[in-house]
Amino acid sequence: MRWVIAFLCLWSAPLWAQEKGAPYVLHLELGASMGSDEVGIRVNQSIKTLHAVQFHPNHLFGFILGADSYPLLTVVPFGVGWRGVLDPLQKTSWMAGMDLGYGSTVLEKKMESEWNNLSWFEGGLMAHPTVGLRINNKGNSAWSFLVGYKHQSSRFYQGLPSANTAVQTPSLSNPADWIYLRKDQITYRSLTVAVGLIFL
């Protein structure tokens, strides 16, 4: 219940701030994430939007939504995001950010083999601190150039449901629903680079 209340408070914060006169800001980022796994070096693409309210000339706070491609799956991150700029009036200034949330695997389908084996991915927690530069354009926009570190966890399940189970979707918490069930923890640790456009 506490998580629901916290989520509703965060969700309503931008609307409340806009009523108080704080402007809406959109930050669009296109980038790449680089890391390594058992196969070797990987380079993946990402897109992210921050829908934020400028509570202070130096700070933005809002909600993130995006898509990250990895070798085995596509993750849809959503959560909260912060952006801070050292001197917003300067043409070029230092900038930093932090995104925290959950990486969903809503775009991934549950696979079933001809022998009734099931396999699927589930998402996990995401954290993404960044640092870089903001360059103001003429008008109400600015460029951002950010590097960072992204931590994305996920889980892979593979199992054979029991023929005796009466439910259509076997429960992960009920061993009687499975003949066997395997769970693998997957953690993607990536160096990220991104170019963004901020609409102020």
Side-chain angles (χ1 to χ4, degrees):
M1 187 64 180
R2 289 178 297 176
W3 288 103
V4 175
I5 295 173
F7 176 78
L8 292 175
C9 291
L10 291 171
W11 184 260
S12 62
L15 299 177
W16 175 83
Q18 283 187 311
E19 290 178 358
K20 299 297 183 181
Y24 167 80
V25 176
L26 172 65
H27 187 191
L28 172 64
E29 293 183 32
L30 298 175
S33 59
M34 293 156 283
S36 61
D37 53 28
E38 62 275 4
V39 178
I41 302 297
R42 57 174 176 81
V43 179
N44 310 115
Q45 297 77 41
S46 67
I47 182 171
K48 180 168 58 182
T49 57
L50 169 68
H51 304 270
V53 171
Q54 188 159 358
F55 288 96
H56 184 275
N58 300 84
H59 302 282
L60 306 174
F61 181 78
F63 304 97
I64 61 164
L65 181 65
D68 298 325
S69 68
Y70 292 103
L72 297 176
L73 74 161
T74 299
V75 173
V76 177
F78 62 92
V80 294
W82 163 83
R83 301 290 182 273
V85 60
L86 186 62
D87 190 344
L89 299 180
Q90 290 290 330
K91 172 70 175 177
T92 302
S93 180
W94 289 104
M95 181 180 181
M98 172 61 81
D99 298 328
L100 296 171
Y102 184 85
S104 170
T105 56
V106 65
L107 299 180
E108 299 294 326
K109 294 181 179 180
K110 181 177 287 189
M111 305 297 293
E112 183 175 0
S113 73
E114 57 183 314
W115 299 283
N116 297 323
N117 282 285
L118 299 179
S119 60
W120 71 96
F121 287 95
E122 289 188 1
L125 296 178
M126 178 274 301
H128 188 201
T130 55
V131 65
L133 296 174
R134 190 179 96 167
I135 302 176
N136 291 331
N137 295 324
K138 292 181 180 179
N140 297 324
S141 65
W143 290 101
S144 66
F145 301 90
L146 298 171
V147 297
Y149 166 80
K150 178 174 283 187
H151 178 101
Q152 175 65 63
S153 62
S154 64
R155 296 175 298 277
F156 176 72
Y157 290 93
Q158 189 174 47
L160 179 62
S162 172
N164 297 325
T165 181
V167 296
Q168 186 174 5
T169 303
S171 172
L172 293 176
S173 59
N174 186 4
D177 286 350
W178 301 91
I179 296 175
Y180 80 88
L181 178 65
R182 186 182 114 192
K183 171 186 172 182
D184 292 329
Q185 185 72 32
I186 303 173
T187 303
Y188 295 102
R189 299 178 178 89
S190 307
L191 171 69
T192 64
V193 293
V195 177
L197 189 56
I198 307 170
F199 299 94
L200 302 165

